[in-house]
Protein backbone atom coordinates (compact mmCIF):
# COMPACT_ATOMS: atom_id res chain seq x y z
CA UNK A 1 0.00 0.00 0.00
CA UNK A 2 1.44 3.45 -0.92
CA UNK A 3 2.98 5.41 1.93
CA UNK A 4 2.34 9.14 2.02
CA UNK A 5 4.41 11.55 4.13
CA UNK A 6 2.49 14.76 4.86
CA UNK A 7 4.30 17.85 6.14
CA UNK A 8 3.21 21.35 7.11
CA UNK A 9 4.25 24.51 8.98
CA UNK A 10 7.04 23.15 11.21
CA UNK A 11 10.40 21.71 10.16
CA UNK A 12 11.24 18.30 11.57
CA UNK A 13 15.05 18.25 12.02
CA UNK A 14 15.30 14.48 11.58
CA UNK A 15 13.58 14.77 8.21
CA UNK A 16 16.03 17.45 7.08
CA UNK A 17 18.95 15.07 7.53
CA UNK A 18 20.28 11.80 6.19
CA UNK A 19 17.93 10.02 8.61
CA UNK A 20 15.05 10.66 6.21
CA UNK A 21 16.56 8.13 3.79
CA UNK A 22 15.50 5.41 6.26
CA UNK A 23 11.87 6.23 5.54
CA UNK A 24 9.97 4.21 2.94
CA UNK A 25 7.74 6.78 1.26
CA UNK A 26 6.01 6.83 -2.14
CA UNK A 27 4.64 10.39 -2.09
CA UNK A 28 5.16 13.59 -0.11
CA UNK A 29 2.33 16.06 0.42
CA UNK A 30 2.94 19.61 1.63
CA UNK A 31 0.13 21.51 3.35
CA UNK A 32 1.93 24.84 3.33
CA UNK A 33 4.26 27.22 5.16
CA UNK A 34 7.51 25.28 4.86
CA UNK A 35 10.81 26.36 3.25
CA UNK A 36 10.94 25.25 -0.35
CA UNK A 37 14.49 23.93 0.00
CA UNK A 38 13.19 21.67 2.80
CA UNK A 39 10.50 20.31 0.47
CA UNK A 40 13.04 19.83 -2.33
CA UNK A 41 15.34 17.95 0.04
CA UNK A 42 12.53 15.59 1.04
CA UNK A 43 11.55 14.54 -2.47
CA UNK A 44 15.16 14.29 -3.58
CA UNK A 45 16.27 12.21 -0.60
CA UNK A 46 13.17 10.00 -0.75
CA UNK A 47 13.23 9.80 -4.56
CA UNK A 48 9.49 10.37 -4.86
CA UNK A 49 7.10 13.03 -6.17
CA UNK A 50 5.68 15.90 -4.15
CA UNK A 51 2.32 17.69 -4.25
CA UNK A 52 1.64 20.89 -2.34
CA UNK A 53 -0.81 23.64 -1.55
CA UNK A 54 0.61 27.01 -0.44
CA UNK A 55 0.18 28.46 3.02
CA UNK A 56 -0.33 32.08 3.98
CA UNK A 57 3.41 32.56 4.56
CA UNK A 58 4.39 31.14 1.17
CA UNK A 59 4.97 33.25 -1.96
CA UNK A 60 2.26 33.62 -4.57
CA UNK A 61 2.27 30.52 -6.80
CA UNK A 62 -0.92 31.28 -8.69
CA UNK A 63 -1.17 31.47 -12.45
CA UNK A 64 1.74 29.16 -13.29
CA UNK A 65 1.40 26.33 -15.80
CA UNK A 66 3.98 23.95 -17.23
CA UNK A 67 4.04 22.97 -20.91
CA UNK A 68 6.77 20.76 -22.30
CA UNK A 69 8.92 21.42 -19.26
CA UNK A 70 8.60 25.20 -19.70
CA UNK A 71 7.13 27.21 -16.81
CA UNK A 72 4.64 29.86 -17.92
CA UNK A 73 2.67 32.56 -16.17
CA UNK A 74 -0.16 34.24 -18.07
CA UNK A 75 1.31 32.68 -21.23
CA UNK A 76 4.81 34.11 -20.77
CA UNK A 77 7.93 32.14 -19.77
CA UNK A 78 8.71 32.76 -16.12
CA UNK A 79 10.70 30.71 -13.61
CA UNK A 80 8.56 28.63 -11.28
CA UNK A 81 9.04 30.16 -7.80
CA UNK A 82 7.96 27.02 -5.97
CA UNK A 83 10.02 23.97 -4.98
CA UNK A 84 11.63 22.25 -7.95
CA UNK A 85 9.82 19.14 -9.10
CA UNK A 86 6.71 19.72 -6.99
CA UNK A 87 3.14 19.95 -8.31
CA UNK A 88 0.91 22.75 -7.09
CA UNK A 89 -2.57 21.36 -6.34
CA UNK A 90 -4.07 24.67 -5.22
CA UNK A 91 -7.49 24.87 -6.84
CA UNK A 92 -6.73 21.75 -8.87
CA UNK A 93 -7.29 18.02 -8.99
CA UNK A 94 -4.11 15.96 -9.27
CA UNK A 95 -3.83 12.25 -10.03
CA UNK A 96 -0.60 10.74 -8.77
CA UNK A 97 0.47 7.35 -7.44
CA UNK A 98 -3.03 5.95 -7.93
CA UNK A 99 -4.52 8.65 -5.67
CA UNK A 100 -6.76 11.56 -6.57
CA UNK A 101 -5.92 14.72 -4.62
CA UNK A 102 -7.94 17.94 -4.61
CA UNK A 103 -6.24 21.01 -3.18
CA UNK A 104 -7.19 24.37 -1.67
CA UNK A 105 -4.36 26.42 -0.23
CA UNK A 106 -4.24 29.62 1.76
CA UNK A 107 -5.86 31.04 4.87
CA UNK A 108 -8.63 33.45 5.72
CA UNK A 109 -7.69 37.02 4.76
CA UNK A 110 -6.29 38.95 7.72
CA UNK A 111 -3.79 41.30 6.01
CA UNK A 112 -2.47 42.01 2.52
CA UNK A 113 -0.17 38.98 2.25
CA UNK A 114 -0.36 36.35 -0.51
CA UNK A 115 -2.47 33.21 -0.42
CA UNK A 116 -5.16 34.81 1.73
CA UNK A 117 -8.83 34.71 0.80
CA UNK A 118 -12.11 36.05 2.05
CA UNK A 119 -14.74 33.44 2.78
CA UNK A 120 -16.53 34.40 -0.42
CA UNK A 121 -13.34 34.12 -2.52
CA UNK A 122 -12.46 30.71 -1.10
CA UNK A 123 -16.02 29.50 -1.61
CA UNK A 124 -15.78 30.48 -5.27
CA UNK A 125 -12.46 28.65 -5.60
CA UNK A 126 -13.98 25.63 -3.86
CA UNK A 127 -16.89 25.51 -6.31
CA UNK A 128 -14.46 25.49 -9.24
CA UNK A 129 -12.54 22.67 -7.58
CA UNK A 130 -15.72 20.63 -7.12
CA UNK A 131 -16.61 21.08 -10.78
CA UNK A 132 -13.14 19.93 -11.82
CA UNK A 133 -13.43 16.86 -9.58
CA UNK A 134 -16.85 16.02 -11.04
CA UNK A 135 -15.48 16.21 -14.58
CA UNK A 136 -12.76 13.73 -13.67
CA UNK A 137 -15.27 11.46 -11.95
CA UNK A 138 -17.58 11.40 -14.95
CA UNK A 139 -14.64 10.43 -17.11
CA UNK A 140 -13.19 7.58 -15.05
CA UNK A 141 -15.39 6.98 -11.99
CA UNK A 142 -12.59 7.67 -9.48
CA UNK A 143 -13.53 9.86 -6.51
CA UNK A 144 -11.30 12.27 -4.62
CA UNK A 145 -9.26 10.37 -2.05
CA UNK A 146 -7.57 13.32 -0.31
CA UNK A 147 -8.61 16.93 0.15
CA UNK A 148 -5.36 18.77 0.86
CA UNK A 149 -5.77 22.22 2.41
CA UNK A 150 -3.71 24.67 4.40
CA UNK A 151 -6.53 25.84 6.67
CA UNK A 152 -9.07 23.60 8.40
CA UNK A 153 -12.85 23.88 8.11
CA UNK A 154 -14.50 26.47 10.35
CA UNK A 155 -15.08 25.17 13.89
CA UNK A 156 -13.28 21.91 13.10
CA UNK A 157 -9.90 22.21 14.77
CA UNK A 158 -9.38 25.91 13.98
CA UNK A 159 -8.82 28.80 16.42
CA UNK A 160 -10.88 31.81 17.44
CA UNK A 161 -8.31 34.48 16.47
CA UNK A 162 -8.83 35.96 13.02
CA UNK A 163 -5.67 34.61 11.27
CA UNK A 164 -6.43 31.04 12.35
CA UNK A 165 -10.14 30.84 11.64
CA UNK A 166 -11.07 28.04 9.28
CA UNK A 167 -13.18 28.24 6.14
CA UNK A 168 -16.92 27.61 6.36
CA UNK A 169 -17.03 26.63 2.68
CA UNK A 170 -14.94 23.52 3.36
CA UNK A 171 -17.96 21.92 5.03
CA UNK A 172 -19.90 21.95 1.77
CA UNK A 173 -16.81 20.95 -0.21
CA UNK A 174 -16.33 17.88 1.95
CA UNK A 175 -20.04 17.06 1.83
CA UNK A 176 -19.96 17.04 -1.99
CA UNK A 177 -16.58 15.44 -2.66
CA UNK A 178 -16.68 13.00 0.30
CA UNK A 179 -12.92 12.40 0.40
CA UNK A 180 -11.62 9.72 2.72
CA UNK A 181 -9.47 12.27 4.51
CA UNK A 182 -8.93 16.05 4.70
CA UNK A 183 -5.32 16.89 5.58
CA UNK A 184 -4.52 20.42 6.74
CA UNK A 185 -1.87 22.52 8.46
CA UNK A 186 -1.94 26.11 9.75
CA UNK A 187 -2.95 25.29 13.34
CA UNK A 188 0.17 24.78 15.43
CA UNK A 189 -0.36 22.41 18.36
CA UNK A 190 2.23 24.11 20.66
CA UNK A 191 2.56 20.92 22.65
CA UNK A 192 -1.18 20.29 22.85
CA UNK A 193 -2.49 16.89 21.86
CA UNK A 194 -4.97 17.77 19.14
CA UNK A 195 -8.14 15.78 18.69
CA UNK A 196 -8.96 14.24 15.34
CA UNK A 197 -12.24 15.35 13.80
CA UNK A 198 -14.78 14.04 11.33
CA UNK A 199 -17.10 15.68 8.84
CA UNK A 200 -19.50 12.90 7.98
CA UNK A 201 -17.31 9.96 6.98
CA UNK A 202 -14.32 12.19 6.19
CA UNK A 203 -11.47 12.29 8.69
CA UNK A 204 -10.05 15.77 9.30
CA UNK A 205 -6.40 15.54 10.35
CA UNK A 206 -4.01 18.30 11.40
CA UNK A 207 -0.65 17.30 9.88
CA UNK A 208 1.61 19.90 11.56
CA UNK A 209 4.59 19.08 11.54
CA UNK A 210 4.40 15.66 9.85
CA UNK A 211 2.25 12.55 9.66
CA UNK A 212 2.74 9.31 7.79
CA UNK A 213 -0.13 7.34 6.22
CA UNK A 214 -0.72 4.28 4.13
CA UNK A 215 -3.38 5.26 1.60
CA UNK A 216 -4.91 3.31 -1.24
CA UNK A 217 -7.73 4.70 -3.37
CA UNK A 218 -11.10 3.49 -2.17
CA UNK A 219 -9.79 2.36 1.22
CA UNK A 220 -9.56 4.19 4.55
CA UNK A 221 -6.22 5.88 5.21
CA UNK A 222 -4.18 4.20 7.91
CA UNK A 223 -1.71 6.18 9.97
CA UNK A 224 1.73 4.65 10.32
CA UNK A 225 3.57 5.43 13.56
CA UNK A 226 6.83 3.80 12.58
CA UNK A 227 8.34 5.16 9.43
CA UNK A 228 10.79 2.40 8.54
Amino acid sequence: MPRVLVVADEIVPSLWSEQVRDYRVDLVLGAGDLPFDYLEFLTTALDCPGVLVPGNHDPDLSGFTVHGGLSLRDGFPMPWPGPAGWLNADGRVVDIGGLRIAGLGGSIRYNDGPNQWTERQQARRARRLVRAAHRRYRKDGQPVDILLTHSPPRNVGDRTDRPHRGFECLHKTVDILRPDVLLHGHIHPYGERLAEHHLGDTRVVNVVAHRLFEIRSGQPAREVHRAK
Side-chain angles (χ1 to χ4, degrees), residues 100 130-143:
R100 178 156 292 172
V130 166
R131 289 195 294 269
H134 280 177
R135 286 193 296 270
R136 297 281 186 95
Y137 182 79
R138 287 195 297 269
K139 184 178 295 185
D140 60 18
Q142 181 175 345

Side-chain angles (χ1 to χ4, degrees), residues 55-129:
N56 53 296
H57 295 297
D58 289 324
D60 182 10
L61 301 179
S62 63
F64 283 88
T65 58
V66 178
H67 293 285
L70 180 65
S71 176
L72 305 173
R73 191 175 197 184
D74 298 326
F76 295 95
M78 186 174 294
W80 159 244
W86 281 67
L87 295 175
N88 181 12
D90 186 25
R92 301 172 183 172
V93 179
V94 173
D95 293 325
I96 190 165
L99 299 173
R100 178 156 292 172
I101 301 162
L104 276 177
S107 74
I108 198 77
R109 179 165 293 284
Y110 63 93
N111 63 27
D112 293 328
N115 307 314
Q116 297 181 32
W117 310 97
T118 66
E119 179 66 46
R120 180 175 293 182
Q121 289 170 330
Q122 189 75 319
R124 186 163 53 245
R125 283 164 30 88
R127 288 193 295 270
R128 288 197 295 264
L129 181 70

Side-chain angles (χ1 to χ4, degrees), residues 21-215:
R21 299 184 190 276
D22 294 333
Y23 282 51
R24 181 174 63 80
V25 173
D26 302 291
L27 175 66
V28 183
L29 300 181
D33 285 352
L34 284 170
F36 289 164
D37 51 351
Y38 176 65
L39 297 181
E40 290 174 359
F41 176 83
L42 289 176
T43 51
T44 299
L46 294 167
D47 191 25
C48 67
V51 176
L52 65 84
V53 293
N56 53 296
H57 295 297
D58 289 324
D60 182 10
L61 301 179
S62 63
F64 283 88
T65 58
V66 178
H67 293 285
L70 180 65
S71 176
L72 305 173
R73 191 175 197 184
D74 298 326
F76 295 95
M78 186 174 294
W80 159 244
W86 281 67
L87 295 175
N88 181 12
D90 186 25
R92 301 172 183 172
V93 179
V94 173
D95 293 325
I96 190 165
L99 299 173
R100 178 156 292 172
I101 301 162
L104 276 177
S107 74
I108 198 77
R109 179 165 293 284
Y110 63 93
N111 63 27
D112 293 328
N115 307 314
Q116 297 181 32
W117 310 97
T118 66
E119 179 66 46
R120 180 175 293 182
Q121 289 170 330
Q122 189 75 319
R124 186 163 53 245
R125 283 164 30 88
R127 288 193 295 270
R128 288 197 295 264
L129 181 70
V130 166
R131 289 195 294 269
H134 280 177
R135 286 193 296 270
R136 297 281 186 95
Y137 182 79
R138 287 195 297 269
K139 184 178 295 185
D140 60 18
Q142 181 175 345
V144 169
D145 300 298
I146 300 168
L147 180 57
L148 180 66
T149 69
H150 180 61
S151 294
R154 183 76 174 118
N155 296 323
V156 183
D158 61 350
R159 304 295 192 196
T160 57
D161 62 304
R162 177 68 181 176
H164 295 98
R165 283 175 52 190
F167 284 110
E168 183 66 34
C169 64
L170 289 177
H171 288 259
K172 186 173 183 179
T173 305
V174 167
D175 185 55
I176 296 173
L177 294 181
R178 299 186 181 277
D180 175 63
V181 63
L182 185 158
L183 305 174
H184 73 86
H186 194 51
I187 308 301
H188 295 252
Y190 298 118
E192 177 187 355
R193 183 177 177 83
L194 299 178
E196 189 171 301
H197 300 273
H198 284 80
L199 286 177
D201 293 330
T202 298
R203 294 170 63 193
V204 179
V205 184
N206 184 327
V207 298
V208 178
H210 81 299
R211 304 285 281 268
L212 185 65
F213 297 91
E214 289 184 342
I215 305 176

